[in-house]
Amino acid sequence: MNQRQETSLTVTRKAIFWKPCRRMTAMLWSLLFVIQFFIIGIFIYQGSFKNYVYVQLSKYQKVNEEHFDSTLENCLIRDTSEPAPKPKCPVISPYLIGYRKPVMDDEIHLVETLQKYRYAQCGGQFRPSNCEARQKAALLVPFRDRQEHLKIFINHMHPFLMRQQLEYKIYIIDLDKEIRFNRGVLLNVGFLEASKEADFDCYFLHDVDLLPEHDHNLYRCSELPRHMSVAVDKFNYRLPYLTNFGGVSAMTKDQILFVNGFSNKFSGWGGEDDDLYNRLIFHNMTVLRSMPDVSRYIMLKHDQSPPNAERFKLLRTGMERVMQDGIKNLKYKISNRTDYLLFTYINISF
Ligand code: BGN
């Protein structure tokens, strides 16, 4: 065999060996390429991706919390000096941290909460110290016998709203024990009482058992009424039905007055929110909702209150009463009003 023949044989051997090898490598790469998509698919399917993002976000919590503490300030009602003109707060607060699992510890003690948020004083109100809030909100919370929920709610809401650089006040409205619970009446009263005190841009009709999970869920009003609690864990983070307006919603003073508030006739559980929705439609309004991955809420566990058997009939005939039954014809007496540090408590009777 001459040298030329030998060289050509080596080349052929190499080709015989490398050709399938190259093919195998190519196949391996393609396999890896496909597997990568498969793994990403599983991640997305299980929501782990979201968790990963949340973990990343939570890394920044500490830094932000330090910032956030430094923005707190003393009670403004006691501060009688003329406030210095401040720049408007940014559209998106720099203190937002995104998703944060609400603390639902039964051991939360109100006294500790009071100490922790000592800067939100005089009836549970707050105003950012370094800028002028874009909106002033009243949180109206109907209440009955849910002391353990109230602690968790208050503990969660103050830092949540402060991080949004909002000016706000929290009202807890309670009905005399002898009278059947009526969410509509309590929210109407909350609206009337809050409006007497200040010119709020926005009123939040807020259940005490609902905790927002993501602080990009901005507590602001819009040109149209907003339904805030779009995705609640109890309903698998899905809207239970399209016309739902319960849980947490936001309306301006004009919007509430325009529809005459809630009906006063829905005693017991259910229907008053559907009636309010009908009132909005009756007045040619629609409802705005934000993305469900931001408008997420956790519902605190409790026994289901007995539903009101009358609610179907009341709903059917609701629009016949819309002009009288509501804020316009509501009569009530205030039996107790206490300005606690972290909220204003109002108890009413008829
Ligand atoms: C609905 C209730 C609402 C409540 C939601 C969510 C009624 C009226 C009868 C059609 N409506 O069923 O009030 O907010 O469930 O729990 O019961």
Side-chain angles (χ1 to χ4, degrees), residues 183 207 234-235 240-241 244-247 266 269-275 299 304 307-308 311-312 315:
R183 184 173 179 266
D207 283 358
K234 190 189 171 190
F235 304 119
Y241 53 99
N244 184 252
F245 197 58
F266 287 80
W269 183 88
E272 82 297 332
D273 46 352
D274 301 308
D275 185 81
M299 188 185 277
Q304 171 80 48
N308 170 16
R311 67 195 193 287
F312 299 100
L315 266 176

Side-chain angles (χ1 to χ4, degrees), residues 262-296:
F262 280 89
S263 159
N264 300 314
K265 292 198 175 289
F266 287 80
S267 293
W269 183 88
E272 82 297 332
D273 46 352
D274 301 308
D275 185 81
L276 181 61
Y277 184 87
N278 290 344
R279 288 178 177 225
L280 302 180
I281 301 300
F282 185 83
H283 288 88
N284 264 334
M285 284 195 262
T286 49
V287 167
L288 301 180
R289 289 196 180 99
S290 298
M291 301 286 282
D293 44 348
V294 166
S295 316
R296 289 164 64 96

Side-chain angles (χ1 to χ4, degrees), residues 8 16 100 119 127 154 161 188 230 238 289 327 342:
S8 103
I16 290 169
R100 180 181 233 188
Y119 297 102
R127 183 149 72 174
I154 291 292
L161 297 169
N188 281 345
V230 178
R238 289 200 188 97
R289 289 196 180 99
I327 281 177
L342 291 183

